[in-house]
Amino acid sequence: MIQTRLIDGLVWLNRRSFIWAVRQTLIAIFPLALVGSLACLVEKSLLNVNGFFYNILIVGNWLPQAWQRPLQFAFTSIVQVIFSLIGLVACYFSAVNTARWYRRDSSSAGLTAVITLLLIAYRYGKTPQMPLNFRIGLLGGKNLLFGLLIGYGVGQLYRWLETTQIGQGARARSFASLRPLVVAIICGAIIAMVINSGTFYRVYARSYANLVTASQGPQNVGISLLLSLGVALMDWLGLGMPTSYGVPLNTPAYAANLNYALAHGSSWNVPYKFLGSTLYNSFANFGGDGLVLALIVAILLFPGNTGTHRVARWSALPTIFNFDYGSLVGLPIILNPVFLLPFMLLPVINMSLAAGMIALHLLPSTPYPVLLGTPGPLLGFIATNGNWSTLLFTIVLLLIDILAYIPFVRLSFLIEAKSTLKIGEGDHHA
């Protein structure tokens, strides 16, 4: 009975216009997110001197510097452009899908949403050398939710203010888009003034980075776990890039642990045994945030939705090496209530079990540095300088995570099968 009500509630939620528009938008931007993740894998792991593949394949011995530097520049530019503008692309598609849901002019709605978001992100006080200056943080992957909401809001303006519907002449649709366009521009300008005149944006822009830094600190284990929940929630909301792309390992506490291990040849009695960064990076970073690698394996093991299986296969490669943004977008995990619980709780459970094993002196701490792009299941093994008990424990954790995700995969497939809804039914199901 409870399961039936849960399924019915989630099916009802999937049939709301916002959720439908978000899902369609994430499907549309998945190829972009996947290319960005693959480029990130190449740039950080293959072309970086601290990368996993760079050292395993001894790239420096056979790839001349004359080729290496241009390749680094090329892949870095791909990563920067995609992840700096993917929120703007999401804004466009969110408006397009919302307008399409209500059978309004989707092309005009998408362009209006782009202009509105650019107005909001415009930075006042420009210089002659840079006449156009934007707050890139509002246009990229770190604020995907913001772009989705702006696009959805513009789509709603077209729903209520545009009188001409699809099928009428281009000139009629052009004039009909004037009212929602003007209102959207006015709203965007007002929001821009608020952002540029107050301290709210500066506090908001630093909130995610500060939360990540705090969660990786040397404080009490319980506090680190609570802060990790906050980081996972923001990632699920689309308000942060995956922390696995750059877990901060250059703190004084981390340096103290590493110095102790190097001086004594052992990591069993380092001064900060339960450092948040090393606990997360070694035992809760299987495929990036939320243990996404375990979810992909669970999807591939469970028969069902072939479309989701295809996404899982395509995004598996970068996810294995902890570049999981393509998976977060494509499966999807972002704003998907079905995966919220395991996405937030499983990393905390892994870290708690690891802390318990370290406290019982069954496992050593993990202070040694690892190469960028090291596969998640190997992180703890390498970070202990090759402790086999840690590798076995990590494999057991991964198997537990896979089993824990399977019921949610089954639920996701069932809900998706029951949530099919045709475009245009939004007038009755908004």
Side-chain angles (χ1 to χ4, degrees):
M1 187 67 178
I2 296 178
Q3 182 179 3
T4 302
R5 289 182 178 178
L6 174 63
I7 293 173
D8 290 342
L10 291 173
V11 169
W12 177 88
L13 185 64
N14 279 352
R15 292 185 173 186
R16 302 308 96 191
S17 59
F18 176 69
I19 298 299
W20 184 88
V22 167
R23 294 291 173 81
Q24 297 303 310
T25 298
L26 295 179
I27 290 172
I29 68 173
F30 165 67
L32 198 61
L34 178 60
V35 170
S37 298
L38 289 169
C40 202
L41 169 61
V42 174
E43 185 261 323
K44 291 186 179 296
S45 184
L46 182 64
L47 299 175
N48 191 305
V49 294
N50 296 315
F52 179 76
F53 283 115
Y54 185 95
N55 288 273
I56 294 296
L57 301 177
I58 320 177
V59 173
N61 288 353
W62 53 266
L63 183 63
Q65 284 290 322
W67 283 95
Q68 185 174 329
R69 289 180 179 176
L71 286 173
Q72 285 178 325
F73 175 80
F75 281 95
T76 300
S77 64
I78 293 172
V79 172
Q80 291 295 328
V81 170
I82 288 178
F83 287 141
S84 295
L85 296 178
I86 196 170
L88 184 64
V89 178
C91 181
Y92 170 82
F93 280 109
S94 178
V96 165
N97 289 313
T98 304
R100 186 177 297 163
W101 174 271
Y102 295 107
R103 295 188 178 275
R104 298 297 189 266
D105 188 351
S106 58
S107 298
S108 296
L111 291 175
T112 301
V114 168
I115 295 298
T116 302
L117 182 54
L118 288 175
L119 273 173
I120 293 172
Y122 182 73
R123 187 192 298 271
Y124 293 177
K126 60 183 182 298
T127 62
Q129 293 78 17
M130 189 177 292
L132 286 178
N133 191 0
F134 298 101
R135 300 178 188 274
I136 296 297
L138 291 176
L139 307 178
K142 293 183 179 180
N143 284 284
L144 194 65
L145 177 62
F146 189 72
L148 292 170
L149 289 173
I150 295 297
Y152 180 75
V154 170
Q156 288 292 331
L157 288 178
Y158 273 77
R159 172 193 180 188
W160 295 109
L161 299 179
E162 186 197 36
T163 55
T164 305
Q165 296 187 354
I166 294 175
Q168 298 191 10
R171 182 169 296 173
R173 295 199 306 272
S174 177
F175 277 102
S177 66
L178 278 175
R179 282 194 295 176
L181 173 63
V182 170
V183 172
I185 288 177
I186 292 173
C187 292
I190 292 173
I191 297 173
M193 286 190 292
V194 173
I195 289 176
N196 282 277
S197 62
T199 60
F200 171 78
Y201 175 74
R202 289 192 290 273
V203 174
Y204 164 74
R206 297 191 188 104
S207 60
Y208 181 77
N210 291 339
L211 187 59
V212 171
T213 301
S215 69
Q216 312 296 349
Q219 66 275 332
N220 179 276
V221 175
I223 296 176
S224 293
L225 297 179
L226 288 175
L227 292 172
S228 297
L229 284 175
V231 173
L233 178 60
M234 292 190 73
D235 286 334
W236 179 85
L237 288 170
L239 290 176
M241 292 294 285
T243 55
S244 58
Y245 284 24
V247 177
L249 295 178
N250 56 350
T251 61
Y254 175 79
N257 280 354
L258 178 58
N259 290 335
Y260 179 94
L262 293 175
H264 294 81
S266 170
S267 61
W268 285 95
N269 296 303
V270 295
Y272 301 100
K273 291 184 177 181
F274 309 108
L275 188 59
S277 58
T278 53
L279 279 176
Y280 166 82
N281 202 44
S282 301
F283 303 106
N285 192 16
F286 308 154
D289 294 341
L291 304 163
V292 179
L293 178 60
L295 173 59
I296 287 181
V297 175
I299 289 172
L300 296 178
L301 288 176
F302 192 81
N305 190 298
T306 55
T308 304
H309 279 176
R310 187 177 184 185
V311 171
R313 288 195 300 270
W314 276 86
S315 56
L317 177 61
T319 302
I320 290 172
F321 301 98
N322 302 321
F323 301 105
D324 62 334
Y325 200 72
S327 302
L328 294 176
V329 170
L331 291 176
I333 297 172
I334 293 175
L335 293 176
N336 188 343
V338 176
F339 295 130
L340 173 60
L341 194 63
F343 186 82
M344 290 184 62
L345 293 184
L346 285 179
V348 172
I349 293 173
N350 279 20
M351 292 170 67
S352 300
L353 292 174
M357 295 290 285
I358 294 172
L360 294 173
H361 215 67
L362 297 175
L363 292 179
S365 297
T366 55
Y368 295 97
V370 295
L371 298 171
L372 294 172
T374 299
L378 296 180
L379 287 168
F381 176 69
I382 296 175
T384 56
N385 200 25
N387 182 272
W388 290 98
S389 297
T390 301
L391 179 60
L392 178 61
F393 176 72
T394 300
I395 293 173
V396 171
L397 282 183
L398 179 58
L399 292 175
I400 293 173
D401 297 329
I402 293 170
L403 293 175
Y405 260 120
I406 287 179
F408 296 94
V409 171
R410 181 187 294 113
L411 179 62
S412 176
F413 286 175
L414 180 60
I415 291 169
E416 189 170 348
K418 291 186 175 184
S419 298
T420 304
L421 196 62
K422 296 180 180 179
I423 297 174
E425 293 186 30
D427 295 319
H428 306 289
H429 297 277

